[in-house]
Amino acid sequence: MTMLILFGSLFVFILLSVPIGVAIGLSSMLVIFFLDSVSLPMLIQKLFTSLDSFPLMAIPFFMLGGLLMGKGGISERILNLAKQLVGWMVGGLAMVTVVACAFFAALSGSGPATVGAIGSFMIPSMKEKNYSPAFASAITAAAGCIGVIIPPSIPLILYGVISGTSIGELFKAGILPGLLIAVILMFVSYRTIKKQGDEIVKEDIDISFSALMRSIWDAKWALLAPIIILGGIYGSIFTPTEASVVAIIYSYIIGAFVHKELKWKEIKESLLETINLTGATMYMIGTSIAFAYLLSVERIPAIIAESIASFSSNPIVILLLINLFLLVVGAFVDTIPALAMLTPILLPIVQQAGVDPVHFGIIMVVNLAIGFITPPFGVNLFIASNVGKTPLEDIIKKMIPIIMYVIVGLMIITYFPALSLVFAK
Amino acid sequence: MKWKELIDIKMEEWLLIISTLFIVALVFLQVLSRYVFNISVGWSAELARYLLIWITWISMSYTIRKNDHIKITLLVDRLPMNVQKVVQVIVVLLWSVFAFVMAIVGTQVVQTLKLMGQKTSTLGLPMWVVYLIIPIGGVLMLIRLVQRLYFIFKPEKIVVSGD
Amino acid sequence: DDNVKPVSGEEVKGGDATYTLKFPHIVPTDHPAHKAALVFKDEVEKNSDGKVKVEVFANGELYGSDREIIEAIQLGNADISMVGSPSIGNFDERFYVLDLPFLFASKEAPREALAGDLGKELSDGLGDINLKALGYGYDGFRHVLNNKKPITTPEDMKGSKIRVQESEIQQDIFNTLGANASPLAFGELYSALQQKTYDGMDSTLSLIDSSKFYEVQKYLTLTSHQYSGLAILFNNKLFDEMPADIQDIITEAGKKTEADYYQFVDEDEESMSTKFKDENLIEVTELTADEREKFIEAVQPVYKKYEEIIGKDLIDLAKSYSE
Ligand code: NA
Ligand code: NA
């Protein structure tokens, strides 16, 4: 009954065009009204504490860094270089986006931060080349999922702590599945753009060795950005969250003093866009965590898990059902509460069916990463919509086929444990 | 009407811009002091976090002004114009319920926290002061929602841009 | 206060009050604290003939931090939990006494202190902030971990980048020893140690095991520099409203939980240190009495600073159990 109210009202509110974060909050309030065991101060507490997290800062900061790179000429020079390298390929720019996200994933533990950083300059670049804004936003949002599969990854750390598996092994296990998703997304880009055909502006690019060298030289300061960020993280100078701020400072220095393209006007625009993103998306984390709390208190996940376990003992069937279940959960609930809620319930079931706990960690995180791009609650979708200035429903339409391909990848990851375990064990 | 724009938009923008720049500087100094000078202050991360929470809730109502909230208008777009207006009014009213709860229950929570004497871990600020942003955010949201209601019936002639 | 109505699952069925208590905590299910929580649940449910139900939520499923849990108890959305003394200190500064460095000379001393006058002193003030201590407990002592070299003297800490919890007293301890201590979110800690953004940290043995810190740290020195104390906290207002027979059941269950918890942790510590050594997971160094004495001397300035905040009487009371 509670669940009917929770999901029924959410559906109605969203269709009425109530902002999604507010809709989630209103449904939670409605359920709290009917539940004796929970009171409204819970919601208030969650609106505050869910945002009380230092790593969360990486989302707006990486986006601000990305915007400054865009307006300060860093992105443009990287793109010129990328065009020399893959510009002749069909869907090259979308592929560059995917590669950039995979690359960025290696320094960020967060999916939304990846979308903010890469999307803030790649989506405008794709739009410029006549990519449909919806597809440009969708492919970036999807590629952002790689952020939590390739290490470091905040969700994998949490899974490791809850399940008692080695975080180091989980990190190693995430590499190939992350790359697999990247390859799949590059394939999707190729297919989609091939179909779109002539609309994409084909440029006469002077592809020659000397032109390539010139692009590399032009991009020297720009290329130093990832080196400083990656080097800073792996060279033990700062944490990934702190790296987001270093990216801002570096982009500012290069944009303002080296390229001399960044004036106060551009900086102010970037700041306002970042503030806009913060206001439109971050508060939702609070309402969605209150929503997840209500599911937990009502023991909904446990009830569903029990019925999965009683349905079959065949590992193939169990994994299939769990994948389905996780995809549905991921549609509504953020990764962190979903992991806290479900790991202890699902892990014993799959272990009984003979699934390796490290492998299962990857399965869970890939499923929940897909949750970043499934409506109604998909943070990557929201950030891409905000950064790409594209209506959510347009992105979702373009996203459906992409999700289908990614699910194929999920199936490969699920049924070929070696892909995850070859490095880990 | 310069002063009108100042109160309506500019004040909030400047407040948010300055706070954002402040956090960026704060976290950068944190890295710099730890790495270059090998000293650390314990409170910088805490201050940055609490400021971001304040920025989030103030920007949330600022984003109402900008009409940039993320929503699905698939169904509403297909309705006749006058029905659309009715739906928009309903949305604002529902949203106001949310804002109202933030303001009222938020105030109750702040009052309780004040009695409980909790302090933040490193800055030693009273926790209720930090929590104040929830009721403040609710009130700011309510003000913006009333404004939104007004714009539903009297759409803005000139779009006020951010710059 | 009447600002927030308590909603701790009290339902009236045929004149007989029944209760459903929410028991959230933040550790995994194989941690001693979870086993102790289940002891509380079993005791209360058995002795109340099912009139009181206890729902335990592990892994931070409901609330992600001790601070948030205490706040939730005060606001009436959680009823009981086990929370660490640094977090309780945010609510009642006298609890910082338990965090003072090298406060207790043995593992028996804090047990006696908290069962005796120190425990009574600390509990007495909690009622005003809607908390009630049903008992105390601990997660072991905290020890120093490092990636550079085994720590045997305070000089070994010089310039070492140490991660601490968001606790001023902890930061003061390490900075007084000459380290460069700064707080970092727990979620970022593993990666930060792996990437060597920090050289070291401190932790209890069970946390080293559950979070696999031995994968990213080379040396463990058994400093026992800080007692990782905790209290079993209950919603005071709810307790006062309960009928006397239920109150007794809760109180007794609290005592049993405390006793069993100490035992679980002792067993756990025993198996951890053997595991670390036998499986060669991390190089373990023990301090000689002389080496330990040097550390104790070095941290005395911390006592000076906190005398004012905590009160000298309370500190002396705590110390008296080690004499
Ligand atoms: Na990553
Ligand atoms: Na989703």
Side-chain angles (χ1 to χ4, degrees):
Chain A
M1 184 59 201
T2 330
M3 287 308 106
L4 200 68
I5 301 169
L6 195 61
F7 288 97
S9 63
L10 182 64
F11 186 70
V12 172
F13 291 145
I14 288 177
L15 274 189
L16 279 175
S17 79
V18 175
I20 292 175
V22 177
I24 296 172
L26 281 170
S27 300
S28 306
M29 271 159 47
L30 206 59
V31 168
I32 291 172
F33 184 76
F34 286 103
L35 278 184
D36 286 333
S37 60
V38 187
S39 68
L40 284 172
M42 182 280 287
L43 176 68
I44 301 295
Q45 205 190 0
K46 290 298 178 192
L47 293 183
F48 183 89
T49 53
S50 57
L51 295 169
D52 186 8
S53 146
F54 191 71
L56 208 61
M57 251 176 251
I59 300 174
F61 284 173
F62 270 128
M63 178 178 170
L64 178 57
L67 285 167
L68 291 175
M69 287 182 198
K71 293 185 206 283
I74 292 185
S75 325
E76 191 192 329
R77 286 163 175 84
I78 291 189
L79 279 174
N80 282 337
L81 177 61
K83 271 184 234 154
Q84 286 285 333
L85 295 171
V86 294
W88 48 274
M89 281 159 73
V90 176
L93 219 43
M95 292 189 201
V96 170
T97 307
V98 175
V99 174
C101 283
F103 191 64
F104 194 82
L107 51 100
S108 151
S110 151
T114 309
V115 180
I118 305 298
S120 53
F121 65 87
M122 283 312 294
I123 299 176
S125 310
M126 283 190 275
K127 282 206 262 184
E128 217 173 275
K129 296 287 169 271
N130 275 9
Y131 279 65
S132 88
F135 176 75
S137 305
I139 195 74
T140 313
C145 297
I146 306 169
V148 292
I149 307 172
I150 291 180
S153 156
I154 294 170
L156 278 178
I157 291 175
L158 185 67
Y159 176 85
V161 170
I162 297 175
S163 65
T165 38
S166 157
I167 296 159
E169 280 181 20
L170 283 166
F171 276 10
K172 285 180 216 151
I175 298 172
L176 286 183
L179 292 178
L180 173 72
I181 302 288
V183 169
I184 287 174
L185 290 175
M186 287 171 77
F187 175 72
V188 176
S189 308
Y190 175 81
R191 287 281 308 254
T192 313
I193 302 306
K194 182 121 191 162
K195 262 192 231 157
Q196 208 177 338
D198 296 335
E199 294 159 44
I200 301 295
V201 176
K202 290 230 172 66
E203 278 179 296
D204 292 324
I205 320 168
D206 167 26
I207 296 179
S208 63
F209 184 73
S210 65
L212 179 66
M213 282 301 124
R214 208 177 323 120
S215 310
I216 292 178
W217 182 245
D218 271 352
K220 57 185 180 301
W221 293 108
L223 288 173
L224 206 55
I227 292 172
I228 287 183
I229 295 170
L230 271 178
I233 294 175
Y234 290 99
S236 71
I237 302 175
F238 36 74
T239 66
T241 310
E242 291 169 340
S244 63
V245 166
V246 175
I248 293 174
I249 304 287
Y250 182 77
S251 317
Y252 166 68
I253 292 172
I254 299 303
F257 302 109
V258 180
H259 297 155
K260 299 196 169 69
E261 292 171 33
L262 213 52
K263 302 275 174 333
W264 172 243
K265 180 175 169 285
E266 285 82 25
I267 297 172
K268 195 181 151 198
E269 276 169 16
S270 310
L271 281 162
L272 285 176
E273 276 186 56
T274 307
I275 287 161
N276 199 295
L277 168 105
T278 308
T281 59
M282 297 274 283
Y283 79 95
M284 278 189 227
I285 297 169
T287 53
S288 86
I289 285 186
F291 191 90
Y293 177 105
L294 295 169
L295 293 177
S296 282
V297 164
E298 289 292 282
R299 300 272 183 200
I300 302 303
I303 295 165
I304 294 171
E306 271 165 32
S307 56
I308 289 178
S310 63
F311 188 79
S312 168
S313 59
N314 179 329
I316 296 173
V317 177
I318 286 189
L319 281 176
L320 189 70
L321 289 174
I322 286 181
N323 274 327
L324 264 174
F325 175 51
L326 287 171
L327 288 172
V328 173
V329 170
F332 293 94
V333 178
D334 191 37
T335 330
I336 301 299
L339 280 171
M341 207 156 59
L342 299 176
T343 309
I345 299 170
L346 296 179
L347 189 61
I349 301 176
V350 296
Q351 272 183 309
Q352 211 150 43
V355 178
D356 183 276
V358 171
H359 177 214
F360 187 63
I362 303 299
I363 295 177
M364 277 195 89
V365 169
V366 172
N367 266 297
L368 297 172
I370 295 174
F372 283 130
I373 52 170
T374 51
F377 184 77
V379 185
N380 285 12
L381 284 177
F382 304 152
I383 292 182
S385 163
N386 185 287
V387 175
K389 308 269 173 288
T390 317
L392 194 56
E393 53 261 40
D394 294 356
I395 303 181
I396 292 171
K397 262 183 244 157
K398 294 283 178 187
M399 189 60 92
I400 292 167
I402 299 180
I403 291 176
M404 292 304 160
Y405 280 106
V406 176
I407 288 178
V408 173
L410 171 67
M411 290 300 133
I412 296 174
I413 292 164
T414 305
Y415 292 114
F416 293 91
L419 194 68
S420 308
L421 300 178
V422 67
F423 283 154
K425 298 273 156 110
Chain B
M1 276 297 177
K2 263 260 148 101
W3 63 270
K4 211 168 149 188
E5 204 195 337
L6 181 79
I7 292 184
D8 186 14
I9 302 224
K10 293 287 168 192
M11 229 165 55
E12 225 166 348
E13 278 184 356
W14 279 109
L15 181 71
L16 290 167
I17 285 176
I18 291 167
S19 327
T20 308
L21 286 175
F22 182 78
I23 312 185
V24 170
L26 193 65
V27 178
F28 188 64
L29 286 177
Q30 174 182 309
V31 179
L32 215 60
S33 65
R34 192 184 58 232
Y35 191 72
V36 182
F37 306 110
N38 208 27
I39 44 165
S40 298
V41 287
W43 48 264
S44 58
E46 187 182 283
L47 183 60
R49 275 192 344 251
Y50 291 145
L51 264 175
L52 186 72
I53 300 178
W54 276 66
I55 290 178
T56 301
W57 285 106
I58 296 173
S59 333
M60 203 266 187
S61 71
Y62 169 76
T63 319
I64 301 178
R65 178 70 183 86
K66 294 273 165 186
N67 203 9
D68 267 337
H69 271 282
I70 290 160
K71 50 189 183 277
I72 291 181
T73 54
L74 200 66
L75 187 77
V76 180
D77 285 346
R78 290 172 191 196
L79 299 172
M81 220 37 200
N82 48 351
V83 185
Q84 273 192 30
K85 283 209 166 163
V86 175
V87 174
Q88 281 171 7
V89 172
I90 294 174
V91 168
V92 170
L93 292 179
L94 282 169
W95 197 338
S96 307
V97 172
F98 180 77
F100 197 71
V101 168
M102 272 180 75
I104 300 300
V105 184
T107 306
Q108 292 172 352
V109 167
V110 165
Q111 282 172 334
T112 308
L113 290 183
K114 201 172 165 189
L115 287 173
M116 300 301 169
Q118 182 191 172
K119 288 191 180 138
T120 68
S121 315
T122 51
L123 282 168
L125 287 171
M127 191 48 104
W128 67 269
V129 174
V130 194
Y131 253 89
L132 263 183
I133 189 56
I134 303 295
I136 291 176
V139 171
L140 288 177
M141 222 181 282
L142 280 172
I143 296 170
R144 287 300 188 193
L145 287 167
V146 171
Q147 192 186 27
R148 164 112 265 128
L149 209 57
Y150 173 82
F151 284 141
I152 291 176
F153 296 103
K154 285 193 90 169
E156 272 183 292
K157 294 261 159 40
I158 310 148
V159 180
V160 185
S161 82
D163 318 310
Chain C
D1 79 295
D2 276 320
N3 288 320
V4 177
K5 89 177 163 83
V7 283
S8 314
E10 185 187 346
E11 303 150 36
V12 178
K13 277 186 197 155
D16 242 352
T18 63
Y19 298 88
T20 303
L21 303 178
K22 282 205 281 295
F23 192 149
H25 65 77
I26 60 171
V27 296
T29 45
D30 56 359
H31 190 282
H34 183 70
K35 292 183 212 155
L38 294 182
V39 168
F40 183 84
K41 175 185 165 75
D42 289 345
E43 282 294 302
V44 168
E45 290 184 350
K46 186 181 73 196
N47 295 334
S48 69
D49 292 324
K51 266 198 272 180
V52 184
K53 270 198 227 142
V54 181
E55 292 184 330
V56 179
F57 298 88
N59 292 309
E61 189 183 351
L62 291 194
Y63 299 101
S65 70
D66 279 356
R67 187 201 74 72
E68 203 186 343
I69 291 178
I70 302 172
E71 204 172 79
I73 293 178
Q74 291 179 329
L75 293 169
N77 275 310
D79 305 297
I80 170 172
S81 187
M82 290 167 184
V83 285
S85 52
S87 301
I88 310 175
N90 288 352
F91 295 80
D92 180 346
E93 285 174 336
R94 295 170 320 138
F95 270 83
Y96 287 137
V97 69
L98 296 176
D99 304 337
L100 286 169
F102 302 102
L103 179 71
F104 298 113
S106 67
K107 101 180 168 190
E108 288 76 25
R111 241 164 256 201
E112 284 166 25
L114 288 167
D117 289 345
L118 181 67
K120 196 177 171 314
E121 273 290 315
L122 288 175
S123 325
D124 279 352
L126 289 176
D128 298 339
I129 54 172
N130 195 23
L131 299 171
K132 179 181 180 59
L134 295 180
Y136 291 91
Y138 87 136
D139 281 330
F141 283 88
R142 296 182 79 87
H143 310 287
V144 173
L145 291 91
N146 202 283
N147 233 345
K148 283 187 165 168
K149 58 179 170 186
I151 306 276
T152 51
T153 64
E155 284 72 44
D156 293 333
M157 302 281 274
K158 283 252 152 41
S160 195
K161 291 190 181 70
I162 301 282
R163 178 268 177 182
V164 290
Q165 291 170 291
E166 202 158 79
S167 143
E168 200 173 347
I169 198 163
Q170 244 200 355
Q171 205 183 0
D172 285 335
I173 294 172
F174 283 100
N175 284 340
T176 306
L177 290 170
N180 174 11
S182 58
L184 181 74
F186 190 76
E188 282 198 311
L189 180 55
Y190 184 92
S191 306
L193 293 170
Q194 191 177 40
Q195 289 150 4
K196 304 193 171 56
T197 317
Y198 286 81
D199 304 320
M201 60 177 290
D202 76 332
S203 169
T204 60
L205 295 183
S206 63
L207 196 63
I208 297 173
D209 186 59
S210 63
S211 291
K212 312 273 181 278
F213 288 126
Y214 51 75
E215 293 177 356
V216 285
Q217 293 277 275
K218 285 197 197 113
Y219 309 104
L220 163 66
T221 306
L222 299 174
T223 46
S224 300
H225 59 275
Q226 206 181 16
Y227 179 70
S228 184
L230 51 86
I232 308 168
L233 295 183
F234 200 84
N235 180 332
N236 190 52
K237 198 166 172 213
L238 177 67
F239 187 86
D240 285 346
E241 286 164 3
M242 288 174 150
D245 57 329
I246 303 236
Q247 281 182 343
D248 290 344
I249 291 168
I250 303 267
T251 312
E252 284 310 309
K255 281 183 191 152
K256 172 106 171 64
T257 309
E258 177 185 280
D260 285 9
Y261 192 21
Y262 279 131
Q263 198 195 324
F264 292 150
V265 174
D266 286 345
E267 289 166 5
D268 210 43
E269 295 251 288
E270 193 69 35
S271 69
M272 287 314 148
S273 40
T274 359
K275 179 180 169 185
F276 292 159
K277 282 175 197 160
D278 292 356
E279 296 179 26
N280 229 348
L281 295 171
I282 189 164
E283 193 183 312
V284 183
T285 308
E286 309 222 20
L287 288 184
T288 64
D290 281 353
E291 285 167 341
R292 194 177 146 87
E293 204 53 48
K294 290 219 177 73
F295 277 98
I296 296 175
E297 257 169 57
V299 297
Q300 288 314 305
V302 177
Y303 277 84
K304 284 257 148 42
K305 175 174 173 188
Y306 285 91
E307 248 171 32
E308 270 176 49
I309 299 166
I310 300 167
K312 193 164 184 319
D313 292 351
L314 202 62
I315 296 177
D316 289 341
L317 176 63
K319 275 181 171 171
S320 69
Y321 286 88
S322 299
E323 278 151 15

